[in-house]
Amino acid sequence: MACSAAFTFAIDKHNLKVIEADGEYTWPLIVDSLEMFAGQRYSVVVNATQAALWAENALADTKFTDLARLQWLFDPLCKKCMKRLSVTSDAELAAAEAIPQCIECGVVYRFMKRDFCGGCEPKDQGAQRVDVGQNILDRAIEHQERASEHRLNQSANSQNPALRTATQNKERLLALKKQSKADTVTIEMSLFIFPANGTKAKKTQLLPILKRFYGSDPTPSVFQYAKVELKKALLASPPSQHLNTSMLNFEEPTFGVALATKVHNINPDDDQFRGTVERMFNQLRNDAKLSDTDIKSKNIPLRVFVYEAHRDWSDDEDEPAAHATRSSMRSSRVASTARAPAKRKAACSISSTTQYTSSYRPRKVPAIVSNEDLEIRYDRYQFTPTTFTVDEFGNVDEHISIEEQAIKISRDWKHNVGDKPKGGYLAKGLMKYAFLGRMKGKMYAVFQCKPDNVTESQNLIDLTAELRLLALGQYFAESFAARAASKCVEIPSIRWNFRDAFLGTVTSGLLPQPTAGEQDSRSLTFKTFLAAPLLTTSGLYTERKFSGCDTAGDNVDSIGRAIDAFAHHILVDTDGGLLMTDLQGVIGPDKEVILFDPQAHSSGQNTGFWDGGRKRMQEWSEAHKCKTLCKQLGLKGAVVDLRDIPTDVTPQASTSRNPLRIGFPSPKKEDEHCSL
């Protein structure tokens, strides 16, 4: 009955005096019936006034009625005698004899602890009568203890199905916790690469990564750890210098388990591999995909396969084509070693793709300083800094400080000019040198024009123009991010090496110009210099050139296409007033692109000596091929009239119905904006 939702209890022709509910005393309440729900308990006092009656247990939600016959004390036979007559074995007879019974009146009380009941207890013995309520409470407590013990001893099959499931889950959880403290599984992770023009995976020169996981660790964490750590190891290894790592698809690798000379494909999305590490190990062992040695040492030889995307030159919709090629390559990944080569056009392999080089004053980014630079000698100079800021409408403002600061310049860098950084020398271009500087504990790349090409005034003009372009470039990088956000398009982080860059004018410490015929060993030739934070181009950082000064970029990877779209964005947002070219920079491990050494063409042809004016802008516009990203950003089809352009290159406030945050006019055809 207790398994039912509710039932009603009543005794025919009798009232019930309720004195306790769920272990708490209550004020006496007389009722003719009780409605009881699962888990509830009442204690009632019944005044027996009839010789025989029926007790009724009626279910509240059914028509079923259970009738039980009550035998009262003044019948010819007491309960104990009736029990003796009904027993069929010695054990049952012994149990009946053990039932407590008052030796005076013969009443049977199952929980009676004395020889006399409360009514027959001798008064001359001085014992006090037990309170009826306390007696009921004591019996209820004893009954509860016996009932609890009885329920715990029940077999699992007799339990409620929901309770049985909960018990099983609890037992499994306890087993997993116990197992996690002692059992571990070692994952041996190795990296293989499928080249774009190959049919067989090639093992990299990386050593396998060994990682011990607890048996209770989730399996998805193993696959994620393998992807991240193998990628880091590849980027940090010397062989990565010969690979175009940006074209390796680490986001969608495939996995396998090695057994002798075979590799069995495993799918992380399968249910059997979405549990715990222990479960995956047992599954592989049961499927005979592990060797006896691996089983004994609890080791899983995991193989991670990444794929090099190849390029399709057919049209401007090649990004989906490349994705489709990668998807088709995954269909015959690991289990089979024979695979038909993909149909490809001539000269489409990644290895044949050439990076763009600037035909107009090429520059090199300063390389990272080695340990030998700790012994470099420095000259100390006092200077006043000049910085630039850009307002929300793209107006560049110059800020000249009169507060003097100090900077250290490597003293002997001119003696080490060559093809590699050495002794404070960093790099050289067609028009200027780059050398090492230190200020406030931070490394800087310091730039000055070559003395045989320019004068003091021309050095000032060229370096000022370059810092102005750095400021504008950073401004457009932020506006490009704003455009992408307004179109709900994800792009890599792009910024210019403008943060903490400044133009310095030496006030003291500059040595006089050497006499004719004397070697010029001064660390600073002119009193004006440009300083920018030193960028790292080794280790996890990769230097890359995306376009030329007079050549539009045509990159095939996601980062390169974002830079191509960035150049197009500047041209559209300025309505043909400005175009930044010769884009080059450093790509970090988090895919952030830091651009440096800017050049530009403008309608007024006044951004610097590199400015080719409207003619170069027109050539770039004709050579640029809009890809999918340009379409998504609303750049493809944007009308930019390069034949009649105002001379003012400063961007004006937008009059568009949906202007971007930076205030430039959006394309004529606007896409629907999403809610960010």
Side-chain angles (χ1 to χ4, degrees), residues 19-25 36 39-44 109-113 130-149 151:
I19 62 173
E20 177 261 339
D22 292 335
E24 296 290 337
Y25 290 129
M36 303 181 65
Q40 290 186 329
R41 184 180 71 250
Y42 293 90
S43 295
V44 297
Y109 286 116
R110 181 172 296 275
F111 302 106
M112 188 172 65
K113 300 182 180 300
V130 179
D131 181 76
V132 175
Q134 183 64 38
N135 187 23
I136 294 176
L137 181 61
D138 293 341
R139 287 185 292 165
I141 293 174
E142 185 173 354
H143 171 74
Q144 184 178 9
E145 293 175 353
R146 292 191 179 185
S148 298
E149 184 178 356
R151 285 194 298 269

mmCIF file of all heavy atoms in Angstrom, residues 19-25 36 39-44 109-113 130-149 151:
data_model
loop_
_atom_site.group_PDB
_atom_site.id
_atom_site.type_symbol
_atom_site.label_atom_id
_atom_site.label_comp_id
_atom_site.label_asym_id
_atom_site.label_seq_id
_atom_site.Cartn_x
_atom_site.Cartn_y
_atom_site.Cartn_z
ATOM 1 N N ILE A 19 -2.935 11.223 17.782
ATOM 2 C CA ILE A 19 -2.096 11.831 18.817
ATOM 3 C C ILE A 19 -0.663 12.094 18.328
ATOM 4 O O ILE A 19 0.114 12.731 19.034
ATOM 5 C CB ILE A 19 -2.056 10.929 20.070
ATOM 6 C CG1 ILE A 19 -1.432 9.558 19.715
ATOM 7 C CG2 ILE A 19 -3.438 10.776 20.676
ATOM 8 C CD1 ILE A 19 -1.192 8.684 20.921
ATOM 9 N N GLU A 20 -0.330 11.599 17.150
ATOM 10 C CA GLU A 20 1.039 11.789 16.648
ATOM 11 C C GLU A 20 1.017 11.724 15.118
ATOM 12 O O GLU A 20 0.269 10.947 14.527
ATOM 13 C CB GLU A 20 1.953 10.700 17.204
ATOM 14 C CG GLU A 20 3.399 10.751 16.681
ATOM 15 C CD GLU A 20 3.626 9.756 15.544
ATOM 16 O OE1 GLU A 20 2.833 8.792 15.441
ATOM 17 O OE2 GLU A 20 4.576 9.952 14.768
ATOM 18 N N ALA A 21 1.837 12.561 14.493
ATOM 19 C CA ALA A 21 1.970 12.575 13.032
ATOM 20 C C ALA A 21 3.442 12.724 12.678
ATOM 21 O O ALA A 21 4.089 13.698 13.080
ATOM 22 C CB ALA A 21 1.148 13.718 12.417
ATOM 23 N N ASP A 22 3.974 11.728 11.999
ATOM 24 C CA ASP A 22 5.366 11.745 11.535
ATOM 25 C C ASP A 22 6.339 12.016 12.667
ATOM 26 O O ASP A 22 7.275 12.823 12.558
ATOM 27 C CB ASP A 22 5.560 12.777 10.421
ATOM 28 C CG ASP A 22 4.828 12.386 9.155
ATOM 29 O OD1 ASP A 22 4.585 11.180 8.940
ATOM 30 O OD2 ASP A 22 4.504 13.297 8.374
ATOM 31 N N GLY A 23 6.137 11.379 13.811
ATOM 32 C CA GLY A 23 7.075 11.477 14.914
ATOM 33 C C GLY A 23 6.899 12.695 15.790
ATOM 34 O O GLY A 23 7.687 12.889 16.718
ATOM 35 N N GLU A 24 5.878 13.508 15.569
ATOM 36 C CA GLU A 24 5.645 14.698 16.376
ATOM 37 C C GLU A 24 4.288 14.583 17.059
ATOM 38 O O GLU A 24 3.283 14.240 16.418
ATOM 39 C CB GLU A 24 5.685 15.964 15.503
ATOM 40 C CG GLU A 24 7.034 16.234 14.849
ATOM 41 C CD GLU A 24 8.070 16.648 15.849
ATOM 42 O OE1 GLU A 24 7.682 17.144 16.918
ATOM 43 O OE2 GLU A 24 9.282 16.485 15.560
ATOM 44 N N TYR A 25 4.265 14.870 18.398
ATOM 45 C CA TYR A 25 2.990 14.856 19.114
ATOM 46 C C TYR A 25 2.083 15.964 18.590
ATOM 47 O O TYR A 25 2.534 17.056 18.225
ATOM 48 C CB TYR A 25 3.208 15.041 20.617
ATOM 49 C CG TYR A 25 3.868 13.857 21.293
ATOM 50 C CD1 TYR A 25 4.987 14.009 22.103
ATOM 51 C CD2 TYR A 25 3.335 12.580 21.114
ATOM 52 C CE1 TYR A 25 5.591 12.928 22.721
ATOM 53 C CE2 TYR A 25 3.923 11.495 21.727
ATOM 54 C CZ TYR A 25 5.047 11.664 22.528
ATOM 55 O OH TYR A 25 5.634 10.587 23.123
ATOM 56 N N MET A 36 -3.810 9.180 3.870
ATOM 57 C CA MET A 36 -2.359 9.074 4.044
ATOM 58 C C MET A 36 -1.694 9.008 2.676
ATOM 59 O O MET A 36 -2.203 8.395 1.740
ATOM 60 C CB MET A 36 -1.999 7.830 4.867
ATOM 61 C CG MET A 36 -2.675 7.787 6.232
ATOM 62 S SD MET A 36 -2.203 6.328 7.175
ATOM 63 C CE MET A 36 -0.476 6.636 7.431
ATOM 64 N N GLY A 39 5.012 7.788 2.602
ATOM 65 C CA GLY A 39 5.981 8.304 3.553
ATOM 66 C C GLY A 39 5.373 8.889 4.812
ATOM 67 O O GLY A 39 6.113 9.242 5.730
ATOM 68 N N GLN A 40 4.040 8.996 4.914
ATOM 69 C CA GLN A 40 3.411 9.571 6.099
ATOM 70 C C GLN A 40 3.076 8.475 7.116
ATOM 71 O O GLN A 40 2.840 7.320 6.751
ATOM 72 C CB GLN A 40 2.136 10.325 5.720
ATOM 73 C CG GLN A 40 2.390 11.620 4.955
ATOM 74 C CD GLN A 40 1.131 12.412 4.724
ATOM 75 O OE1 GLN A 40 0.048 11.837 4.595
ATOM 76 N NE2 GLN A 40 1.252 13.730 4.666
ATOM 77 N N ARG A 41 3.059 8.877 8.407
ATOM 78 C CA ARG A 41 2.759 7.932 9.490
ATOM 79 C C ARG A 41 1.965 8.665 10.563
ATOM 80 O O ARG A 41 2.287 9.801 10.924
ATOM 81 C CB ARG A 41 4.056 7.369 10.081
ATOM 82 C CG ARG A 41 3.808 6.312 11.147
ATOM 83 C CD ARG A 41 5.108 5.781 11.721
ATOM 84 N NE ARG A 41 5.763 6.793 12.558
ATOM 85 C CZ ARG A 41 6.874 7.403 12.222
ATOM 86 N NH1 ARG A 41 7.462 7.097 11.082
ATOM 87 N NH2 ARG A 41 7.417 8.319 13.019
ATOM 88 N N TYR A 42 0.908 8.018 11.100
ATOM 89 C CA TYR A 42 0.082 8.570 12.173
ATOM 90 C C TYR A 42 -0.011 7.548 13.294
ATOM 91 O O TYR A 42 -0.005 6.337 13.051
ATOM 92 C CB TYR A 42 -1.341 8.897 11.690
ATOM 93 C CG TYR A 42 -1.405 10.032 10.692
ATOM 94 C CD1 TYR A 42 -1.320 9.786 9.323
ATOM 95 C CD2 TYR A 42 -1.546 11.340 11.121
ATOM 96 C CE1 TYR A 42 -1.382 10.825 8.412
ATOM 97 C CE2 TYR A 42 -1.605 12.395 10.216
ATOM 98 C CZ TYR A 42 -1.525 12.127 8.859
ATOM 99 O OH TYR A 42 -1.579 13.148 7.959
ATOM 100 N N SER A 43 -0.141 8.042 14.519
ATOM 101 C CA SER A 43 -0.453 7.204 15.680
ATOM 102 C C SER A 43 -1.834 7.610 16.185
ATOM 103 O O SER A 43 -2.091 8.805 16.416
ATOM 104 C CB SER A 43 0.585 7.384 16.784
ATOM 105 O OG SER A 43 1.842 6.912 16.355
ATOM 106 N N VAL A 44 -2.703 6.603 16.317
ATOM 107 C CA VAL A 44 -4.084 6.873 16.737
ATOM 108 C C VAL A 44 -4.430 5.982 17.928
ATOM 109 O O VAL A 44 -3.847 4.908 18.114
ATOM 110 C CB VAL A 44 -5.075 6.629 15.575
ATOM 111 C CG1 VAL A 44 -4.789 7.587 14.414
ATOM 112 C CG2 VAL A 44 -5.024 5.184 15.108
ATOM 113 N N TYR A 109 1.134 -7.705 23.200
ATOM 114 C CA TYR A 109 1.752 -6.463 22.737
ATOM 115 C C TYR A 109 3.104 -6.822 22.107
ATOM 116 O O TYR A 109 4.003 -7.301 22.792
ATOM 117 C CB TYR A 109 1.968 -5.476 23.886
ATOM 118 C CG TYR A 109 0.708 -4.808 24.379
ATOM 119 C CD1 TYR A 109 0.245 -5.012 25.679
ATOM 120 C CD2 TYR A 109 -0.009 -3.959 23.526
ATOM 121 C CE1 TYR A 109 -0.907 -4.388 26.124
ATOM 122 C CE2 TYR A 109 -1.163 -3.350 23.970
ATOM 123 C CZ TYR A 109 -1.617 -3.565 25.266
ATOM 124 O OH TYR A 109 -2.753 -2.963 25.688
ATOM 125 N N ARG A 110 3.219 -6.577 20.834
ATOM 126 C CA ARG A 110 4.460 -6.982 20.143
ATOM 127 C C ARG A 110 5.678 -6.236 20.677
ATOM 128 O O ARG A 110 6.784 -6.785 20.710
ATOM 129 C CB ARG A 110 4.309 -6.754 18.639
ATOM 130 C CG ARG A 110 5.533 -7.164 17.830
ATOM 131 C CD ARG A 110 5.254 -7.088 16.359
ATOM 132 N NE ARG A 110 4.229 -8.028 15.977
ATOM 133 C CZ ARG A 110 4.439 -9.315 15.679
ATOM 134 N NH1 ARG A 110 5.672 -9.800 15.767
ATOM 135 N NH2 ARG A 110 3.455 -10.111 15.331
ATOM 136 N N PHE A 111 5.482 -4.989 21.122
ATOM 137 C CA PHE A 111 6.617 -4.197 21.578
ATOM 138 C C PHE A 111 6.650 -4.045 23.102
ATOM 139 O O PHE A 111 7.312 -3.153 23.617
ATOM 140 C CB PHE A 111 6.574 -2.812 20.921
ATOM 141 C CG PHE A 111 6.593 -2.869 19.424
ATOM 142 C CD1 PHE A 111 5.439 -2.615 18.703
ATOM 143 C CD2 PHE A 111 7.745 -3.215 18.752
ATOM 144 C CE1 PHE A 111 5.449 -2.683 17.333
ATOM 145 C CE2 PHE A 111 7.759 -3.278 17.369
ATOM 146 C CZ PHE A 111 6.604 -3.022 16.653
ATOM 147 N N MET A 112 5.920 -4.890 23.810
ATOM 148 C CA MET A 112 5.906 -4.809 25.272
ATOM 149 C C MET A 112 7.228 -5.341 25.821
ATOM 150 O O MET A 112 7.708 -6.393 25.404
ATOM 151 C CB MET A 112 4.728 -5.617 25.835
ATOM 152 C CG MET A 112 4.536 -5.435 27.342
ATOM 153 S SD MET A 112 3.014 -6.220 27.933
ATOM 154 C CE MET A 112 3.420 -7.938 27.602
ATOM 155 N N LYS A 113 7.819 -4.606 26.752
ATOM 156 C CA LYS A 113 9.117 -4.964 27.291
ATOM 157 C C LYS A 113 9.035 -5.495 28.727
ATOM 158 O O LYS A 113 10.053 -5.819 29.309
ATOM 159 C CB LYS A 113 10.058 -3.757 27.229
ATOM 160 C CG LYS A 113 10.307 -3.227 25.824
ATOM 161 C CD LYS A 113 11.279 -2.072 25.823
ATOM 162 C CE LYS A 113 11.518 -1.552 24.411
ATOM 163 N NZ LYS A 113 12.071 -2.581 23.513
ATOM 164 N N VAL A 130 3.604 4.247 32.726
ATOM 165 C CA VAL A 130 4.226 4.874 31.554
ATOM 166 C C VAL A 130 3.203 5.692 30.812
ATOM 167 O O VAL A 130 2.058 5.260 30.622
ATOM 168 C CB VAL A 130 4.831 3.794 30.633
ATOM 169 C CG1 VAL A 130 5.460 4.449 29.409
ATOM 170 C CG2 VAL A 130 5.850 2.973 31.396
ATOM 171 N N ASP A 131 3.597 6.885 30.408
ATOM 172 C CA ASP A 131 2.705 7.747 29.638
ATOM 173 C C ASP A 131 2.341 7.076 28.321
ATOM 174 O O ASP A 131 3.202 6.502 27.641
ATOM 175 C CB ASP A 131 3.392 9.087 29.389
ATOM 176 C CG ASP A 131 2.476 10.022 28.619
ATOM 177 O OD1 ASP A 131 1.545 10.573 29.227
ATOM 178 O OD2 ASP A 131 2.722 10.200 27.399
ATOM 179 N N VAL A 132 1.058 7.134 27.957
ATOM 180 C CA VAL A 132 0.594 6.462 26.734
ATOM 181 C C VAL A 132 1.285 7.034 25.505
ATOM 182 O O VAL A 132 1.722 6.309 24.607
ATOM 183 C CB VAL A 132 -0.940 6.604 26.617
ATOM 184 C CG1 VAL A 132 -1.419 6.019 25.301
ATOM 185 C CG2 VAL A 132 -1.617 5.923 27.784
ATOM 186 N N GLY A 133 1.391 8.351 25.443
ATOM 187 C CA GLY A 133 2.031 8.979 24.284
ATOM 188 C C GLY A 133 3.488 8.586 24.149
ATOM 189 O O GLY A 133 3.975 8.303 23.051
ATOM 190 N N GLN A 134 4.211 8.555 25.285
ATOM 191 C CA GLN A 134 5.619 8.169 25.243
ATOM 192 C C GLN A 134 5.775 6.723 24.816
ATOM 193 O O GLN A 134 6.701 6.366 24.083
ATOM 194 C CB GLN A 134 6.250 8.400 26.621
ATOM 195 C CG GLN A 134 7.747 8.103 26.680
ATOM 196 C CD GLN A 134 8.547 9.035 25.801
ATOM 197 O OE1 GLN A 134 8.227 10.213 25.711
ATOM 198 N NE2 GLN A 134 9.557 8.496 25.136
ATOM 199 N N ASN A 135 4.836 5.894 25.317
ATOM 200 C CA ASN A 135 4.873 4.485 24.931
ATOM 201 C C ASN A 135 4.697 4.328 23.425
ATOM 202 O O ASN A 135 5.383 3.542 22.769
ATOM 203 C CB ASN A 135 3.790 3.719 25.689
ATOM 204 C CG ASN A 135 3.889 2.221 25.465
ATOM 205 O OD1 ASN A 135 4.955 1.724 25.130
ATOM 206 N ND2 ASN A 135 2.785 1.512 25.647
ATOM 207 N N ILE A 136 3.746 5.094 22.856
ATOM 208 C CA ILE A 136 3.514 5.021 21.404
ATOM 209 C C ILE A 136 4.741 5.504 20.642
ATOM 210 O O ILE A 136 5.147 4.920 19.635
ATOM 211 C CB ILE A 136 2.271 5.837 21.037
ATOM 212 C CG1 ILE A 136 1.018 5.189 21.646
ATOM 213 C CG2 ILE A 136 2.129 5.970 19.533
ATOM 214 C CD1 ILE A 136 -0.251 5.988 21.422
ATOM 215 N N LEU A 137 5.363 6.584 21.131
ATOM 216 C CA LEU A 137 6.549 7.113 20.463
ATOM 217 C C LEU A 137 7.693 6.120 20.497
ATOM 218 O O LEU A 137 8.397 5.925 19.489
ATOM 219 C CB LEU A 137 6.972 8.427 21.122
ATOM 220 C CG LEU A 137 8.200 9.126 20.521
ATOM 221 C CD1 LEU A 137 7.953 9.485 19.067
ATOM 222 C CD2 LEU A 137 8.546 10.378 21.324
ATOM 223 N N ASP A 138 7.910 5.445 21.641
ATOM 224 C CA ASP A 138 8.971 4.440 21.730
ATOM 225 C C ASP A 138 8.744 3.312 20.746
ATOM 226 O O ASP A 138 9.662 2.833 20.077
ATOM 227 C CB ASP A 138 9.063 3.897 23.151
ATOM 228 C CG ASP A 138 9.531 4.960 24.145
ATOM 229 O OD1 ASP A 138 10.113 5.964 23.690
ATOM 230 O OD2 ASP A 138 9.291 4.793 25.358
ATOM 231 N N ARG A 139 7.460 2.874 20.678
ATOM 232 C CA ARG A 139 7.168 1.788 19.734
ATOM 233 C C ARG A 139 7.360 2.236 18.287
ATOM 234 O O ARG A 139 7.799 1.466 17.431
ATOM 235 C CB ARG A 139 5.735 1.300 19.945
ATOM 236 C CG ARG A 139 5.569 0.490 21.237
ATOM 237 C CD ARG A 139 4.176 -0.079 21.334
ATOM 238 N NE ARG A 139 3.185 0.980 21.521
ATOM 239 C CZ ARG A 139 1.878 0.820 21.363
ATOM 240 N NH1 ARG A 139 1.413 -0.358 21.002
ATOM 241 N NH2 ARG A 139 1.047 1.802 21.563
ATOM 242 N N ALA A 140 7.019 3.517 18.015
ATOM 243 C CA ALA A 140 7.193 4.016 16.651
ATOM 244 C C ALA A 140 8.666 4.054 16.262
ATOM 245 O O ALA A 140 9.045 3.712 15.138
ATOM 246 C CB ALA A 140 6.580 5.408 16.525
ATOM 247 N N ILE A 141 9.519 4.455 17.212
ATOM 248 C CA ILE A 141 10.952 4.510 16.923
ATOM 249 C C ILE A 141 11.506 3.126 16.655
ATOM 250 O O ILE A 141 12.274 2.894 15.705
ATOM 251 C CB ILE A 141 11.693 5.193 18.087
ATOM 252 C CG1 ILE A 141 11.293 6.669 18.176
ATOM 253 C CG2 ILE A 141 13.205 5.063 17.919
ATOM 254 C CD1 ILE A 141 11.861 7.389 19.381
ATOM 255 N N GLU A 142 11.101 2.164 17.467
ATOM 256 C CA GLU A 142 11.581 0.797 17.272
ATOM 257 C C GLU A 142 11.072 0.225 15.960
ATOM 258 O O GLU A 142 11.811 -0.449 15.230
ATOM 259 C CB GLU A 142 11.135 -0.079 18.456
ATOM 260 C CG GLU A 142 11.696 -1.496 18.379
ATOM 261 C CD GLU A 142 11.390 -2.290 19.635
ATOM 262 O OE1 GLU A 142 10.851 -1.693 20.592
ATOM 263 O OE2 GLU A 142 11.695 -3.493 19.643
ATOM 264 N N HIS A 143 9.806 0.546 15.642
ATOM 265 C CA HIS A 143 9.263 0.063 14.373
ATOM 266 C C HIS A 143 10.016 0.686 13.191
ATOM 267 O O HIS A 143 10.280 0.000 12.189
ATOM 268 C CB HIS A 143 7.769 0.395 14.289
ATOM 269 C CG HIS A 143 7.193 0.126 12.929
ATOM 270 N ND1 HIS A 143 6.954 -1.143 12.469
ATOM 271 C CD2 HIS A 143 6.813 0.988 11.941
ATOM 272 C CE1 HIS A 143 6.446 -1.074 11.246
ATOM 273 N NE2 HIS A 143 6.349 0.216 10.902
ATOM 274 N N GLN A 144 10.351 1.957 13.305
ATOM 275 C CA GLN A 144 11.059 2.623 12.222
ATOM 276 C C GLN A 144 12.429 2.000 11.995
ATOM 277 O O GLN A 144 12.864 1.807 10.855
ATOM 278 C CB GLN A 144 11.210 4.108 12.533
ATOM 279 C CG GLN A 144 11.860 4.918 11.410
ATOM 280 C CD GLN A 144 11.939 6.388 11.749
ATOM 281 O OE1 GLN A 144 11.660 6.781 12.873
ATOM 282 N NE2 GLN A 144 12.305 7.197 10.776
ATOM 283 N N GLU A 145 13.117 1.653 13.103
ATOM 284 C CA GLU A 145 14.422 1.031 12.959
ATOM 285 C C GLU A 145 14.310 -0.320 12.283
ATOM 286 O O GLU A 145 15.090 -0.644 11.382
ATOM 287 C CB GLU A 145 15.076 0.897 14.331
ATOM 288 C CG GLU A 145 15.425 2.241 14.968
ATOM 289 C CD GLU A 145 15.967 2.066 16.368
ATOM 290 O OE1 GLU A 145 15.930 0.913 16.866
ATOM 291 O OE2 GLU A 145 16.441 3.067 16.961
ATOM 292 N N ARG A 146 13.315 -1.104 12.697
ATOM 293 C CA ARG A 146 13.148 -2.428 12.087
ATOM 294 C C ARG A 146 12.724 -2.302 10.624
ATOM 295 O O ARG A 146 13.176 -3.071 9.764
ATOM 296 C CB ARG A 146 12.114 -3.231 12.867
ATOM 297 C CG ARG A 146 12.564 -3.621 14.264
ATOM 298 C CD ARG A 146 11.614 -4.637 14.862
ATOM 299 N NE ARG A 146 12.034 -5.039 16.190
ATOM 300 C CZ ARG A 146 11.434 -5.981 16.908
ATOM 301 N NH1 ARG A 146 10.368 -6.601 16.402
ATOM 302 N NH2 ARG A 146 11.876 -6.305 18.106
ATOM 303 N N ALA A 147 11.869 -1.322 10.341
ATOM 304 C CA ALA A 147 11.416 -1.146 8.964
ATOM 305 C C ALA A 147 12.566 -0.719 8.059
ATOM 306 O O ALA A 147 12.695 -1.186 6.924
ATOM 307 C CB ALA A 147 10.285 -0.116 8.913
ATOM 308 N N SER A 148 13.420 0.164 8.554
ATOM 309 C CA SER A 148 14.561 0.608 7.759
ATOM 310 C C SER A 148 15.504 -0.543 7.481
ATOM 311 O O SER A 148 15.996 -0.721 6.360
ATOM 312 C CB SER A 148 15.298 1.735 8.486
ATOM 313 O OG SER A 148 14.447 2.855 8.661
ATOM 314 N N GLU A 149 15.760 -1.343 8.520
ATOM 315 C CA GLU A 149 16.622 -2.501 8.336
ATOM 316 C C GLU A 149 16.010 -3.492 7.356
ATOM 317 O O GLU A 149 16.694 -4.085 6.532
ATOM 318 C CB GLU A 149 16.880 -3.166 9.687
ATOM 319 C CG GLU A 149 17.861 -4.324 9.609
ATOM 320 C CD GLU A 149 18.137 -4.926 10.967
ATOM 321 O OE1 GLU A 149 17.603 -4.379 11.975
ATOM 322 O OE2 GLU A 149 18.868 -5.920 11.041
ATOM 323 N N ARG A 151 13.980 -2.743 4.840
ATOM 324 C CA ARG A 151 14.073 -2.219 3.478
ATOM 325 C C ARG A 151 15.481 -2.360 2.921
ATOM 326 O O ARG A 151 15.668 -2.655 1.740
ATOM 327 C CB ARG A 151 13.666 -0.746 3.467
ATOM 328 C CG ARG A 151 12.169 -0.531 3.600
ATOM 329 C CD ARG A 151 11.800 0.905 3.241
ATOM 330 N NE ARG A 151 12.427 1.873 4.127
ATOM 331 C CZ ARG A 151 11.866 2.320 5.243
ATOM 332 N NH1 ARG A 151 10.654 1.878 5.609
ATOM 333 N NH2 ARG A 151 12.477 3.198 6.003
#
